[in-house]
């Protein structure tokens, strides 16, 4: 989703630049128009504001998602005693017709399942603000930036060792870089799911003995993310659809039957991309987060209800266990209700990002109309004429 919105935004900026540079009357007789400085500043400020709001929302959503994956569905058990007349010392015993004996009336037990904190995005952010202050939406931001920067340079370094790698090789190199930095990603998760601490970000890094416990799940997660990107991309290139992205005007030049088939191919590849996300990316992300959460130090108190034993599947080394949560157990202990909540969360975030894109897109179009004024109809007519000429 991040890649999609970034691509759409980039194309919107390129379209504005193309409009600025592509119309008017220059020395070749082509029509050009120069936007005033204040107009360029206004458009640049709007695009910058969009990215700021987008990043703020995306980072907050990543925190909420992490808490959702880790939170245990809490239950409250209430014991209901028998009626008062049966609580008296001389109260008669109940008669069991099946066994023909009398027995004491057993009390009834009622189990009530309370709503999780992460059931709603708004509820989660309010809870975080109450527990960790107004800056809670950006908790872990420093180590996030450090991890991202280290990952970028490490990937470049690994790629420079063996130049000329193919797409598959680059995929494995990128995943390997993420796995090498697994302790940084785990530290970010620990900061997000725990109460505010006076420790520095580098003091939150898991001990080195946990490195081998984190390496494989992190590598698995990185490969799943890469697969979710490269598998649809491979189909896209194999189908020959990239040419229509490089030259959109070529799409209008092909016959109608072939054009419909191209649309069918594009829709099919989109479905494949969605399936890859649900089959590879999401389960791997859930597993990694829960494996990381299992290694939260005992002295760090969780900020949400959190079963550190993961239904008894995780036992610390001090208690005689291996101190490791397996990939299988990490996924199996993530119950159905939590999976449903996670899917609802993704739908909500997708809708919010969609509304945000529409709002800022409308704002940009309105600003362009305001800046160009009476020139806009002329420019649009010239653009249509130019496109008709190329066809």
């Amino acid at each position: 989703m991040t890649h999609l919105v970034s691509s759409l935004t980039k194309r919107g900026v390129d379209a504005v630049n193309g409009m600025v540079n592509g119309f008017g009357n220059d020395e070749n007789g082509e029509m050009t128009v120069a936007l005033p400085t204040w107009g360029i500043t206004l458009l640049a400020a709007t695009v910058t504001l969009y990215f700021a709001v987008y990043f703020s929302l995306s980072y907050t959503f990543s925190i909420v998602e992490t808490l959702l994956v880790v939170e245990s569905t809490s239950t409250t058990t209430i014991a209901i005693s028998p009626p008062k007349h049966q609580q008296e010392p001389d109260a008669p015993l109940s008669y069991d017709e099946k066994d023909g004996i009398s027995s004491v009336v057993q009390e009834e037990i009622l189990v009530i399942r309370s709503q999780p904190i992460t059931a709603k995005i708004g509820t989660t952010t309010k809870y975080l603000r109450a527990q960790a202050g107004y800056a809670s939406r950006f908790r872990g931001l420093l180590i996030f930036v450090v991890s991202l920067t280290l990952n970028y340079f490490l990937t470049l370094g690994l790629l420079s060792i063996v130049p000329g790698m193919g797409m598959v090789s680059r995929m494995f190199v990128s995943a390997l870089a993420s796995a090498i930095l697994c302790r940084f990603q785990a530290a970010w998760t620990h900061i997000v799911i725990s109460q505010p601490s006076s420790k520095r970000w580098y003091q939150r890094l898991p001990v080195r003995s946990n490195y081998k416990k984190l390496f494989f799940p992190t590598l698995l997660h990185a490969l799943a993310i890469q697969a979710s990107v490269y598998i649809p991309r491979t189909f896209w290139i194999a189908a020959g659809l990239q040419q229509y992205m490089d030259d959109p005007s070529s799409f209008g030049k092909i016959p109608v039957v072939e054009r419909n088939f191209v649309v069918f191919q594009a829709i099919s590849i989109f479905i494949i991309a969605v399936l890859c996300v649900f089959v590879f990316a999401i389960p791997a992300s859930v597993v990694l987060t829960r494996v990381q959460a299992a290694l939260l130090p005992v002295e760090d108190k969780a900020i949400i209800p959190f079963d550190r034993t993961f239904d008894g599947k995780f036992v610390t080394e001090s208690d005689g266990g291996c101190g490791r949560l397996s990939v299988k157990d990490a996924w199996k202990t993530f119950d159905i209700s939590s999976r449903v909540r996670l899917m609802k969360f993704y739908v909500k975030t997708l809708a919010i990002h969609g509304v945000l894109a529409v709002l800022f897109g409308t704002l940009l179009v309105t600003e362009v109309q305001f800046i160009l004024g009476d020139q806009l109809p002329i420019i649009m007519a010239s653009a249509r004429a130019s496109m008709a000429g190329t066809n």
Side-chain angles (χ1 to χ4, degrees):
M1 185 170 61
T2 301
H3 176 72
L4 174 62
V5 176
S6 299
S7 300
L8 293 175
T9 305
K10 180 179 180 299
R11 291 183 178 278
V13 174
D14 291 342
V16 173
N17 291 334
M19 182 178 63
V20 173
N21 300 321
F23 299 103
N25 294 315
D26 58 9
E27 58 183 6
N28 297 324
E30 297 180 354
M31 183 178 181
T32 60
V33 59
L35 290 178
T37 303
W38 66 267
I40 297 176
T41 303
L42 179 61
L43 293 176
T46 302
V47 173
T48 302
L49 179 61
Y50 167 76
F51 278 113
V53 175
Y54 175 80
F55 175 79
S56 176
L57 284 175
S58 297
Y59 192 82
T60 302
F61 290 158
S62 66
I63 291 177
V64 175
E65 179 185 1
T66 301
L67 295 175
L68 189 156
V69 170
V70 172
E71 182 183 11
S72 303
T73 306
S74 58
T75 58
T76 302
T77 304
I78 302 177
I80 301 181
S81 301
K84 288 185 177 181
H85 72 275
Q86 293 182 349
Q87 298 181 24
E88 298 296 333
D90 299 329
L93 300 177
S94 64
Y95 184 76
D96 192 327
E97 296 181 356
K98 180 179 179 181
D99 297 330
I101 60 174
S102 298
S103 59
V104 179
V105 177
Q106 299 294 323
E107 64 180 7
E108 297 178 0
I109 303 297
L110 177 64
V111 179
I112 300 177
R113 186 176 295 271
S114 61
Q115 187 180 42
I117 297 171
T118 55
K120 296 181 180 179
I121 297 176
T123 303
T124 309
T125 54
K126 289 179 181 178
Y127 176 82
L128 280 176
R129 189 161 58 246
Q131 295 290 320
Y134 287 95
S136 58
R137 293 180 55 184
F138 298 100
R139 55 193 348 231
L141 181 60
L142 181 57
I143 196 172
F144 172 81
V145 174
V146 171
S147 177
L148 204 63
T149 304
L150 290 176
N151 188 287
Y152 174 76
F153 285 107
L154 181 58
T155 302
L156 288 182
L158 293 175
L159 289 174
S160 64
I161 296 176
V162 185
M165 288 185 177
M167 183 173 64
V168 177
S169 299
R170 290 196 299 270
M171 180 182 73
F172 278 99
V173 167
S174 179
L176 180 61
S178 296
I180 292 175
L181 299 172
C182 59
R183 292 172 66 211
F184 288 85
Q185 299 180 42
W188 181 86
T189 299
H190 291 174
I191 292 173
V192 167
I193 68 174
S194 62
Q195 292 283 359
S197 172
S198 59
K199 296 179 182 178
R200 301 284 185 177
W201 66 266
Y202 52 84
Q203 295 174 321
R204 303 300 299 269
L205 293 173
V207 295
R208 294 182 180 180
S209 59
N210 286 333
Y211 187 87
K212 58 184 179 181
K213 302 175 184 178
L214 292 166
F215 184 86
F216 176 71
T218 306
L219 180 63
L220 182 66
H221 171 258
L223 287 174
I225 297 297
Q226 295 293 330
S228 301
V229 174
Y230 281 104
I231 290 177
R233 182 180 177 184
T234 301
F235 278 104
W236 182 271
I237 295 175
L241 301 183
Q242 187 59 37
Q243 60 177 319
Y244 303 114
M245 296 291 293
D246 299 334
D247 182 17
S249 62
S250 62
F251 181 74
K253 299 177 183 179
I254 60 178
V256 176
V257 175
E258 185 176 348
R259 194 183 308 169
N260 293 336
F261 182 68
V262 169
V263 173
F264 172 76
Q265 286 180 307
I267 295 175
S268 300
I269 294 174
F270 173 77
I271 294 175
I272 292 175
V274 173
L275 289 176
C276 285
V277 170
F278 279 91
V279 174
F280 300 120
I282 293 179
S285 178
V286 169
V287 166
L288 177 60
T289 301
R290 292 175 70 80
V291 169
Q292 293 169 339
L295 298 177
L296 180 70
V298 178
E299 64 270 17
D300 293 333
K301 185 178 179 182
I303 200 170
I304 54 172
F306 170 34
D307 177 18
R308 290 176 178 254
T309 67
F310 290 88
D311 295 338
K313 302 295 184 180
F314 177 79
V315 181
T316 61
E317 294 179 354
S318 60
D319 292 332
C322 63
R324 180 201 303 267
L325 182 66
S326 68
V327 170
K328 179 181 178 181
D329 290 336
W331 177 249
K332 288 181 64 177
T333 54
F334 190 60
D335 58 28
I336 298 298
S337 62
S338 297
R339 298 179 191 182
V340 172
R341 282 192 293 118
L342 185 60
M343 293 302 106
K344 290 180 179 179
F345 168 80
Y346 287 139
V347 172
K348 292 175 184 178
T349 55
L350 183 62
I352 292 173
H353 280 305
V355 171
L356 181 68
V358 170
L359 288 177
F360 272 90
T362 304
L363 180 60
L364 279 172
V365 171
T366 304
E367 289 176 351
V368 169
Q369 293 176 338
F370 175 72
I371 295 169
L372 295 179
D374 296 337
Q375 299 181 70
L376 184 60
I378 301 174
I379 294 173
M380 296 300 295
S382 176
R384 286 193 292 267
S386 177
M387 293 179 63
T390 56
N391 293 333

